[in-house]
Amino acid sequence: MDYRIETKESFRIIGVSAPLEKEIENNFMVVPKMWEDAAKNQTIQKLATMMDSSPKGLLGVSVCNDVEQWKYFIAVSSTKASDEFEEYIVPASTWAIFSGTGTNQSIQELEQRIITEWLPTSGYEYANAPDIEVYLNPDPQNAKYEVWIPVSKKNY
């Protein structure tokens, strides 16, 4: 699996969110419906005009920690003020960043492989920050994307 490790400062995202359930399987229905609705109601187009900072691309951000209600955001990184969209500050973190291409199905397969194959043997463990999908080319049939997994060095 092709990846790189990068440490990034915190950054602000704006977008729309929906609650996620701790029962992961249920989210496989919630998230695709969110994307479908966001495409239909022009949310994605509106967000694209607000994107002005790194990471560049449409973002899918999964906030799943012990402190907050679990949420999934469709968002962009932006410094612009917005009454229309919710904001969230992604904390500074170290990320394992994996690149991929294919369909929306292939991003889920890549995420599965990262967790089951790469993470257990990587020398890293999951850190307390969101998972991020960066859609560099959002075409659902020929997507270019990155999957950012928050990591910290394992202490043996």
Side-chain angles (χ1 to χ4, degrees), residues 88-111:
Y88 178 80
I89 304 299
V90 175
S93 190
T94 299
W95 312 87
I97 301 175
F98 298 80
S99 297
T101 58
T103 63
N104 291 350
Q105 189 64 40
S106 62
I107 198 167
Q108 290 180 348
E109 291 163 7
L110 175 60
E111 289 167 343

mmCIF file with all atom_site columns, all heavy atoms in Angstrom, residues 88-111:
data_model
loop_
_atom_site.group_PDB
_atom_site.id
_atom_site.type_symbol
_atom_site.label_atom_id
_atom_site.label_alt_id
_atom_site.label_comp_id
_atom_site.label_asym_id
_atom_site.label_entity_id
_atom_site.label_seq_id
_atom_site.pdbx_PDB_ins_code
_atom_site.Cartn_x
_atom_site.Cartn_y
_atom_site.Cartn_z
_atom_site.occupancy
_atom_site.B_iso_or_equiv
_atom_site.pdbx_formal_charge
_atom_site.auth_seq_id
_atom_site.auth_comp_id
_atom_site.auth_asym_id
_atom_site.auth_atom_id
_atom_site.pdbx_PDB_model_num
ATOM 1   N N   . TYR A 1 88  ? -15.890 22.989 12.024 1.00 0.00 ? 88  TYR A N   1
ATOM 2   C CA  . TYR A 1 88  ? -15.208 22.058 12.931 1.00 0.00 ? 88  TYR A CA  1
ATOM 3   C C   . TYR A 1 88  ? -13.714 22.292 12.773 1.00 0.00 ? 88  TYR A C   1
ATOM 4   O O   . TYR A 1 88  ? -13.250 22.514 11.657 1.00 0.00 ? 88  TYR A O   1
ATOM 5   C CB  . TYR A 1 88  ? -15.560 20.601 12.566 1.00 0.00 ? 88  TYR A CB  1
ATOM 6   C CG  . TYR A 1 88  ? -14.868 19.575 13.429 1.00 0.00 ? 88  TYR A CG  1
ATOM 7   C CD1 . TYR A 1 88  ? -15.340 19.273 14.703 1.00 0.00 ? 88  TYR A CD1 1
ATOM 8   C CD2 . TYR A 1 88  ? -13.724 18.924 12.979 1.00 0.00 ? 88  TYR A CD2 1
ATOM 9   C CE1 . TYR A 1 88  ? -14.686 18.343 15.504 1.00 0.00 ? 88  TYR A CE1 1
ATOM 10  C CE2 . TYR A 1 88  ? -13.076 17.986 13.784 1.00 0.00 ? 88  TYR A CE2 1
ATOM 11  C CZ  . TYR A 1 88  ? -13.568 17.707 15.039 1.00 0.00 ? 88  TYR A CZ  1
ATOM 12  O OH  . TYR A 1 88  ? -12.926 16.799 15.831 1.00 0.00 ? 88  TYR A OH  1
ATOM 13  N N   . ILE A 1 89  ? -13.004 22.266 13.877 1.00 0.00 ? 89  ILE A N   1
ATOM 14  C CA  . ILE A 1 89  ? -11.549 22.409 13.821 1.00 0.00 ? 89  ILE A CA  1
ATOM 15  C C   . ILE A 1 89  ? -10.935 21.008 13.914 1.00 0.00 ? 89  ILE A C   1
ATOM 16  O O   . ILE A 1 89  ? -11.100 20.316 14.927 1.00 0.00 ? 89  ILE A O   1
ATOM 17  C CB  . ILE A 1 89  ? -11.007 23.297 14.965 1.00 0.00 ? 89  ILE A CB  1
ATOM 18  C CG1 . ILE A 1 89  ? -11.675 24.682 14.962 1.00 0.00 ? 89  ILE A CG1 1
ATOM 19  C CG2 . ILE A 1 89  ? -9.480  23.413 14.872 1.00 0.00 ? 89  ILE A CG2 1
ATOM 20  C CD1 . ILE A 1 89  ? -11.463 25.516 13.724 1.00 0.00 ? 89  ILE A CD1 1
ATOM 21  N N   . VAL A 1 90  ? -10.258 20.608 12.849 1.00 0.00 ? 90  VAL A N   1
ATOM 22  C CA  . VAL A 1 90  ? -9.541  19.337 12.854 1.00 0.00 ? 90  VAL A CA  1
ATOM 23  C C   . VAL A 1 90  ? -8.252  19.564 13.647 1.00 0.00 ? 90  VAL A C   1
ATOM 24  O O   . VAL A 1 90  ? -7.483  20.466 13.323 1.00 0.00 ? 90  VAL A O   1
ATOM 25  C CB  . VAL A 1 90  ? -9.229  18.874 11.411 1.00 0.00 ? 90  VAL A CB  1
ATOM 26  C CG1 . VAL A 1 90  ? -8.384  17.608 11.420 1.00 0.00 ? 90  VAL A CG1 1
ATOM 27  C CG2 . VAL A 1 90  ? -10.520 18.657 10.627 1.00 0.00 ? 90  VAL A CG2 1
ATOM 28  N N   . PRO A 1 91  ? -8.018  18.789 14.703 1.00 0.00 ? 91  PRO A N   1
ATOM 29  C CA  . PRO A 1 91  ? -6.841  19.042 15.535 1.00 0.00 ? 91  PRO A CA  1
ATOM 30  C C   . PRO A 1 91  ? -5.536  18.706 14.813 1.00 0.00 ? 91  PRO A C   1
ATOM 31  O O   . PRO A 1 91  ? -5.521  17.893 13.887 1.00 0.00 ? 91  PRO A O   1
ATOM 32  C CB  . PRO A 1 91  ? -7.052  18.109 16.731 1.00 0.00 ? 91  PRO A CB  1
ATOM 33  C CG  . PRO A 1 91  ? -7.944  17.022 16.230 1.00 0.00 ? 91  PRO A CG  1
ATOM 34  C CD  . PRO A 1 91  ? -8.801  17.640 15.165 1.00 0.00 ? 91  PRO A CD  1
ATOM 35  N N   . ALA A 1 92  ? -4.463  19.357 15.252 1.00 0.00 ? 92  ALA A N   1
ATOM 36  C CA  . ALA A 1 92  ? -3.138  19.018 14.739 1.00 0.00 ? 92  ALA A CA  1
ATOM 37  C C   . ALA A 1 92  ? -2.906  17.536 15.023 1.00 0.00 ? 92  ALA A C   1
ATOM 38  O O   . ALA A 1 92  ? -3.283  17.029 16.080 1.00 0.00 ? 92  ALA A O   1
ATOM 39  C CB  . ALA A 1 92  ? -2.082  19.866 15.438 1.00 0.00 ? 92  ALA A CB  1
ATOM 40  N N   . SER A 1 93  ? -2.317  16.852 14.060 1.00 0.00 ? 93  SER A N   1
ATOM 41  C CA  . SER A 1 93  ? -2.122  15.412 14.226 1.00 0.00 ? 93  SER A CA  1
ATOM 42  C C   . SER A 1 93  ? -1.082  14.910 13.239 1.00 0.00 ? 93  SER A C   1
ATOM 43  O O   . SER A 1 93  ? -0.678  15.623 12.327 1.00 0.00 ? 93  SER A O   1
ATOM 44  C CB  . SER A 1 93  ? -3.446  14.676 14.007 1.00 0.00 ? 93  SER A CB  1
ATOM 45  O OG  . SER A 1 93  ? -3.331  13.320 14.376 1.00 0.00 ? 93  SER A OG  1
ATOM 46  N N   . THR A 1 94  ? -0.673  13.674 13.443 1.00 0.00 ? 94  THR A N   1
ATOM 47  C CA  . THR A 1 94  ? 0.152   12.963 12.471 1.00 0.00 ? 94  THR A CA  1
ATOM 48  C C   . THR A 1 94  ? -0.763  11.993 11.750 1.00 0.00 ? 94  THR A C   1
ATOM 49  O O   . THR A 1 94  ? -1.576  11.303 12.387 1.00 0.00 ? 94  THR A O   1
ATOM 50  C CB  . THR A 1 94  ? 1.300   12.211 13.180 1.00 0.00 ? 94  THR A CB  1
ATOM 51  O OG1 . THR A 1 94  ? 2.111   13.178 13.853 1.00 0.00 ? 94  THR A OG1 1
ATOM 52  C CG2 . THR A 1 94  ? 2.147   11.429 12.192 1.00 0.00 ? 94  THR A CG2 1
ATOM 53  N N   . TRP A 1 95  ? -0.631  11.954 10.415 1.00 0.00 ? 95  TRP A N   1
ATOM 54  C CA  . TRP A 1 95  ? -1.533  11.157 9.590  1.00 0.00 ? 95  TRP A CA  1
ATOM 55  C C   . TRP A 1 95  ? -0.738  10.184 8.731  1.00 0.00 ? 95  TRP A C   1
ATOM 56  O O   . TRP A 1 95  ? 0.316   10.541 8.212  1.00 0.00 ? 95  TRP A O   1
ATOM 57  C CB  . TRP A 1 95  ? -2.339  12.044 8.638  1.00 0.00 ? 95  TRP A CB  1
ATOM 58  C CG  . TRP A 1 95  ? -2.964  13.237 9.289  1.00 0.00 ? 95  TRP A CG  1
ATOM 59  C CD1 . TRP A 1 95  ? -2.382  14.458 9.470  1.00 0.00 ? 95  TRP A CD1 1
ATOM 60  C CD2 . TRP A 1 95  ? -4.250  13.339 9.863  1.00 0.00 ? 95  TRP A CD2 1
ATOM 61  N NE1 . TRP A 1 95  ? -3.242  15.297 10.110 1.00 0.00 ? 95  TRP A NE1 1
ATOM 62  C CE2 . TRP A 1 95  ? -4.400  14.645 10.364 1.00 0.00 ? 95  TRP A CE2 1
ATOM 63  C CE3 . TRP A 1 95  ? -5.311  12.443 9.987  1.00 0.00 ? 95  TRP A CE3 1
ATOM 64  C CZ2 . TRP A 1 95  ? -5.560  15.076 10.988 1.00 0.00 ? 95  TRP A CZ2 1
ATOM 65  C CZ3 . TRP A 1 95  ? -6.476  12.892 10.606 1.00 0.00 ? 95  TRP A CZ3 1
ATOM 66  C CH2 . TRP A 1 95  ? -6.590  14.187 11.104 1.00 0.00 ? 95  TRP A CH2 1
ATOM 67  N N   . ALA A 1 96  ? -1.270  8.989  8.585  1.00 0.00 ? 96  ALA A N   1
ATOM 68  C CA  . ALA A 1 96  ? -0.814  8.080  7.534  1.00 0.00 ? 96  ALA A CA  1
ATOM 69  C C   . ALA A 1 96  ? -1.745  8.365  6.367  1.00 0.00 ? 96  ALA A C   1
ATOM 70  O O   . ALA A 1 96  ? -2.963  8.242  6.494  1.00 0.00 ? 96  ALA A O   1
ATOM 71  C CB  . ALA A 1 96  ? -0.928  6.630  7.988  1.00 0.00 ? 96  ALA A CB  1
ATOM 72  N N   . ILE A 1 97  ? -1.173  8.803  5.242  1.00 0.00 ? 97  ILE A N   1
ATOM 73  C CA  . ILE A 1 97  ? -1.968  9.235  4.088  1.00 0.00 ? 97  ILE A CA  1
ATOM 74  C C   . ILE A 1 97  ? -1.774  8.240  2.950  1.00 0.00 ? 97  ILE A C   1
ATOM 75  O O   . ILE A 1 97  ? -0.655  8.026  2.484  1.00 0.00 ? 97  ILE A O   1
ATOM 76  C CB  . ILE A 1 97  ? -1.571  10.663 3.659  1.00 0.00 ? 97  ILE A CB  1
ATOM 77  C CG1 . ILE A 1 97  ? -1.792  11.631 4.830  1.00 0.00 ? 97  ILE A CG1 1
ATOM 78  C CG2 . ILE A 1 97  ? -2.354  11.086 2.419  1.00 0.00 ? 97  ILE A CG2 1
ATOM 79  C CD1 . ILE A 1 97  ? -1.331  13.054 4.562  1.00 0.00 ? 97  ILE A CD1 1
ATOM 80  N N   . PHE A 1 98  ? -2.884  7.638  2.537  1.00 0.00 ? 98  PHE A N   1
ATOM 81  C CA  . PHE A 1 98  ? -2.888  6.620  1.488  1.00 0.00 ? 98  PHE A CA  1
ATOM 82  C C   . PHE A 1 98  ? -3.569  7.191  0.259  1.00 0.00 ? 98  PHE A C   1
ATOM 83  O O   . PHE A 1 98  ? -4.643  7.784  0.366  1.00 0.00 ? 98  PHE A O   1
ATOM 84  C CB  . PHE A 1 98  ? -3.658  5.379  1.948  1.00 0.00 ? 98  PHE A CB  1
ATOM 85  C CG  . PHE A 1 98  ? -3.056  4.704  3.149  1.00 0.00 ? 98  PHE A CG  1
ATOM 86  C CD1 . PHE A 1 98  ? -3.283  5.197  4.424  1.00 0.00 ? 98  PHE A CD1 1
ATOM 87  C CD2 . PHE A 1 98  ? -2.257  3.588  2.993  1.00 0.00 ? 98  PHE A CD2 1
ATOM 88  C CE1 . PHE A 1 98  ? -2.725  4.587  5.532  1.00 0.00 ? 98  PHE A CE1 1
ATOM 89  C CE2 . PHE A 1 98  ? -1.690  2.966  4.092  1.00 0.00 ? 98  PHE A CE2 1
ATOM 90  C CZ  . PHE A 1 98  ? -1.914  3.468  5.364  1.00 0.00 ? 98  PHE A CZ  1
ATOM 91  N N   . SER A 1 99  ? -2.974  6.993  -0.913 1.00 0.00 ? 99  SER A N   1
ATOM 92  C CA  . SER A 1 99  ? -3.570  7.466  -2.166 1.00 0.00 ? 99  SER A CA  1
ATOM 93  C C   . SER A 1 99  ? -4.288  6.314  -2.844 1.00 0.00 ? 99  SER A C   1
ATOM 94  O O   . SER A 1 99  ? -3.866  5.161  -2.749 1.00 0.00 ? 99  SER A O   1
ATOM 95  C CB  . SER A 1 99  ? -2.488  7.980  -3.104 1.00 0.00 ? 99  SER A CB  1
ATOM 96  O OG  . SER A 1 99  ? -1.854  9.083  -2.508 1.00 0.00 ? 99  SER A OG  1
ATOM 97  N N   . GLY A 1 100 ? -5.368  6.664  -3.563 1.00 0.00 ? 100 GLY A N   1
ATOM 98  C CA  . GLY A 1 100 ? -6.102  5.643  -4.289 1.00 0.00 ? 100 GLY A CA  1
ATOM 99  C C   . GLY A 1 100 ? -6.862  6.230  -5.457 1.00 0.00 ? 100 GLY A C   1
ATOM 100 O O   . GLY A 1 100 ? -7.015  7.444  -5.573 1.00 0.00 ? 100 GLY A O   1
ATOM 101 N N   . THR A 1 101 ? -7.330  5.336  -6.328 1.00 0.00 ? 101 THR A N   1
ATOM 102 C CA  . THR A 1 101 ? -8.188  5.724  -7.446 1.00 0.00 ? 101 THR A CA  1
ATOM 103 C C   . THR A 1 101 ? -9.254  4.653  -7.595 1.00 0.00 ? 101 THR A C   1
ATOM 104 O O   . THR A 1 101 ? -9.086  3.528  -7.108 1.00 0.00 ? 101 THR A O   1
ATOM 105 C CB  . THR A 1 101 ? -7.410  5.806  -8.784 1.00 0.00 ? 101 THR A CB  1
ATOM 106 O OG1 . THR A 1 101 ? -6.817  4.536  -9.042 1.00 0.00 ? 101 THR A OG1 1
ATOM 107 C CG2 . THR A 1 101 ? -6.341  6.877  -8.752 1.00 0.00 ? 101 THR A CG2 1
ATOM 108 N N   . GLY A 1 102 ? -10.330 5.005  -8.269 1.00 0.00 ? 102 GLY A N   1
ATOM 109 C CA  . GLY A 1 102 ? -11.381 4.023  -8.520 1.00 0.00 ? 102 GLY A CA  1
ATOM 110 C C   . GLY A 1 102 ? -12.752 4.581  -8.234 1.00 0.00 ? 102 GLY A C   1
ATOM 111 O O   . GLY A 1 102 ? -13.005 5.758  -8.442 1.00 0.00 ? 102 GLY A O   1
ATOM 112 N N   . THR A 1 103 ? -13.608 3.735  -7.687 1.00 0.00 ? 103 THR A N   1
ATOM 113 C CA  . THR A 1 103 ? -14.994 4.113  -7.417 1.00 0.00 ? 103 THR A CA  1
ATOM 114 C C   . THR A 1 103 ? -15.157 4.420  -5.928 1.00 0.00 ? 103 THR A C   1
ATOM 115 O O   . THR A 1 103 ? -14.242 4.203  -5.130 1.00 0.00 ? 103 THR A O   1
ATOM 116 C CB  . THR A 1 103 ? -15.933 2.958  -7.769 1.00 0.00 ? 103 THR A CB  1
ATOM 117 O OG1 . THR A 1 103 ? -15.613 1.859  -6.907 1.00 0.00 ? 103 THR A OG1 1
ATOM 118 C CG2 . THR A 1 103 ? -15.792 2.544  -9.221 1.00 0.00 ? 103 THR A CG2 1
ATOM 119 N N   . ASN A 1 104 ? -16.347 4.895  -5.570 1.00 0.00 ? 104 ASN A N   1
ATOM 120 C CA  . ASN A 1 104 ? -16.628 5.133  -4.149 1.00 0.00 ? 104 ASN A CA  1
ATOM 121 C C   . ASN A 1 104 ? -16.540 3.839  -3.350 1.00 0.00 ? 104 ASN A C   1
ATOM 122 O O   . ASN A 1 104 ? -16.215 3.854  -2.178 1.00 0.00 ? 104 ASN A O   1
ATOM 123 C CB  . ASN A 1 104 ? -18.006 5.774  -3.984 1.00 0.00 ? 104 ASN A CB  1
ATOM 124 C CG  . ASN A 1 104 ? -18.021 7.187  -4.514 1.00 0.00 ? 104 ASN A CG  1
ATOM 125 O OD1 . ASN A 1 104 ? -16.979 7.753  -4.832 1.00 0.00 ? 104 ASN A OD1 1
ATOM 126 N ND2 . ASN A 1 104 ? -19.193 7.759  -4.637 1.00 0.00 ? 104 ASN A ND2 1
ATOM 127 N N   . GLN A 1 105 ? -16.810 2.709  -3.998 1.00 0.00 ? 105 GLN A N   1
ATOM 128 C CA  . GLN A 1 105 ? -16.690 1.413  -3.335 1.00 0.00 ? 105 GLN A CA  1
ATOM 129 C C   . GLN A 1 105 ? -15.220 1.126  -3.007 1.00 0.00 ? 105 GLN A C   1
ATOM 130 O O   . GLN A 1 105 ? -14.908 0.600  -1.950 1.00 0.00 ? 105 GLN A O   1
ATOM 131 C CB  . GLN A 1 105 ? -17.257 0.312  -4.248 1.00 0.00 ? 105 GLN A CB  1
ATOM 132 C CG  . GLN A 1 105 ? -17.389 -1.030 -3.589 1.00 0.00 ? 105 GLN A CG  1
ATOM 133 C CD  . GLN A 1 105 ? -18.386 -1.020 -2.432 1.00 0.00 ? 105 GLN A CD  1
ATOM 134 O OE1 . GLN A 1 105 ? -19.443 -0.399 -2.517 1.00 0.00 ? 105 GLN A OE1 1
ATOM 135 N NE2 . GLN A 1 105 ? -18.054 -1.700 -1.364 1.00 0.00 ? 105 GLN A NE2 1
ATOM 136 N N   . SER A 1 106 ? -14.317 1.513  -3.921 1.00 0.00 ? 106 SER A N   1
ATOM 137 C CA  . SER A 1 106 ? -12.906 1.189  -3.710 1.00 0.00 ? 106 SER A CA  1
ATOM 138 C C   . SER A 1 106 ? -12.317 1.963  -2.532 1.00 0.00 ? 106 SER A C   1
ATOM 139 O O   . SER A 1 106 ? -11.388 1.497  -1.894 1.00 0.00 ? 106 SER A O   1
ATOM 140 C CB  . SER A 1 106 ? -12.080 1.396  -4.989 1.00 0.00 ? 106 SER A CB  1
ATOM 141 O OG  . SER A 1 106 ? -12.115 2.732  -5.407 1.00 0.00 ? 106 SER A OG  1
ATOM 142 N N   . ILE A 1 107 ? -12.868 3.140  -2.208 1.00 0.00 ? 107 ILE A N   1
ATOM 143 C CA  . ILE A 1 107 ? -12.346 3.876  -1.044 1.00 0.00 ? 107 ILE A CA  1
ATOM 144 C C   . ILE A 1 107 ? -12.697 3.123  0.237  1.00 0.00 ? 107 ILE A C   1
ATOM 145 O O   . ILE A 1 107 ? -11.880 3.035  1.147  1.00 0.00 ? 107 ILE A O   1
ATOM 146 C CB  . ILE A 1 107 ? -12.822 5.347  -1.008 1.00 0.00 ? 107 ILE A CB  1
ATOM 147 C CG1 . ILE A 1 107 ? -11.920 6.161  -0.069 1.00 0.00 ? 107 ILE A CG1 1
ATOM 148 C CG2 . ILE A 1 107 ? -14.275 5.472  -0.601 1.00 0.00 ? 107 ILE A CG2 1
ATOM 149 C CD1 . ILE A 1 107 ? -12.081 7.656  -0.190 1.00 0.00 ? 107 ILE A CD1 1
ATOM 150 N N   . GLN A 1 108 ? -13.885 2.536  0.296  1.00 0.00 ? 108 GLN A N   1
ATOM 151 C CA  . GLN A 1 108 ? -14.259 1.748  1.479  1.00 0.00 ? 108 GLN A CA  1
ATOM 152 C C   . GLN A 1 108 ? -13.375 0.511  1.599  1.00 0.00 ? 108 GLN A C   1
ATOM 153 O O   . GLN A 1 108 ? -12.973 0.134  2.694  1.00 0.00 ? 108 GLN A O   1
ATOM 154 C CB  . GLN A 1 108 ? -15.739 1.354  1.421  1.00 0.00 ? 108 GLN A CB  1
ATOM 155 C CG  . GLN A 1 108 ? -16.663 2.533  1.624  1.00 0.00 ? 108 GLN A CG  1
ATOM 156 C CD  . GLN A 1 108 ? -18.133 2.152  1.569  1.00 0.00 ? 108 GLN A CD  1
ATOM 157 O OE1 . GLN A 1 108 ? -18.500 1.051  1.167  1.00 0.00 ? 108 GLN A OE1 1
ATOM 158 N NE2 . GLN A 1 108 ? -18.978 3.084  1.955  1.00 0.00 ? 108 GLN A NE2 1
ATOM 159 N N   . GLU A 1 109 ? -13.047 -0.105 0.454  1.00 0.00 ? 109 GLU A N   1
ATOM 160 C CA  . GLU A 1 109 ? -12.165 -1.273 0.475  1.00 0.00 ? 109 GLU A CA  1
ATOM 161 C C   . GLU A 1 109 ? -10.766 -0.885 0.950  1.00 0.00 ? 109 GLU A C   1
ATOM 162 O O   . GLU A 1 109 ? -10.147 -1.611 1.730  1.00 0.00 ? 109 GLU A O   1
ATOM 163 C CB  . GLU A 1 109 ? -12.103 -1.909 -0.914 1.00 0.00 ? 109 GLU A CB  1
ATOM 164 C CG  . GLU A 1 109 ? -13.409 -2.575 -1.308 1.00 0.00 ? 109 GLU A CG  1
ATOM 165 C CD  . GLU A 1 109 ? -13.532 -2.858 -2.806 1.00 0.00 ? 109 GLU A CD  1
ATOM 166 O OE1 . GLU A 1 109 ? -12.541 -2.658 -3.554 1.00 0.00 ? 109 GLU A OE1 1
ATOM 167 O OE2 . GLU A 1 109 ? -14.632 -3.255 -3.231 1.00 0.00 ? 109 GLU A OE2 1
ATOM 168 N N   . LEU A 1 110 ? -10.265 0.277  0.494  1.00 0.00 ? 110 LEU A N   1
ATOM 169 C CA  . LEU A 1 110 ? -8.946  0.746  0.932  1.00 0.00 ? 110 LEU A CA  1
ATOM 170 C C   . LEU A 1 110 ? -8.953  0.998  2.436  1.00 0.00 ? 110 LEU A C   1
ATOM 171 O O   . LEU A 1 110 ? -8.024  0.576  3.149  1.00 0.00 ? 110 LEU A O   1
ATOM 172 C CB  . LEU A 1 110 ? -8.543  2.026  0.179  1.00 0.00 ? 110 LEU A CB  1
ATOM 173 C CG  . LEU A 1 110 ? -7.231  2.675  0.634  1.00 0.00 ? 110 LEU A CG  1
ATOM 174 C CD1 . LEU A 1 110 ? -6.042  1.730  0.475  1.00 0.00 ? 110 LEU A CD1 1
ATOM 175 C CD2 . LEU A 1 110 ? -6.984  3.976  -0.135 1.00 0.00 ? 110 LEU A CD2 1
ATOM 176 N N   . GLU A 1 111 ? -9.996  1.657  2.937  1.00 0.00 ? 111 GLU A N   1
ATOM 177 C CA  . GLU A 1 111 ? -10.078 1.927  4.380  1.00 0.00 ? 111 GLU A CA  1
ATOM 178 C C   . GLU A 1 111 ? -10.059 0.627  5.174  1.00 0.00 ? 111 GLU A C   1
ATOM 179 O O   . GLU A 1 111 ? -9.383  0.530  6.196  1.00 0.00 ? 111 GLU A O   1
ATOM 180 C CB  . GLU A 1 111 ? -11.344 2.743  4.698  1.00 0.00 ? 111 GLU A CB  1
ATOM 181 C CG  . GLU A 1 111 ? -11.237 4.174  4.189  1.00 0.00 ? 111 GLU A CG  1
ATOM 182 C CD  . GLU A 1 111 ? -12.548 4.940  4.195  1.00 0.00 ? 111 GLU A CD  1
ATOM 183 O OE1 . GLU A 1 111 ? -13.633 4.310  4.279  1.00 0.00 ? 111 GLU A OE1 1
ATOM 184 O OE2 . GLU A 1 111 ? -12.491 6.168  4.091  1.00 0.00 ? 111 GLU A OE2 1
#
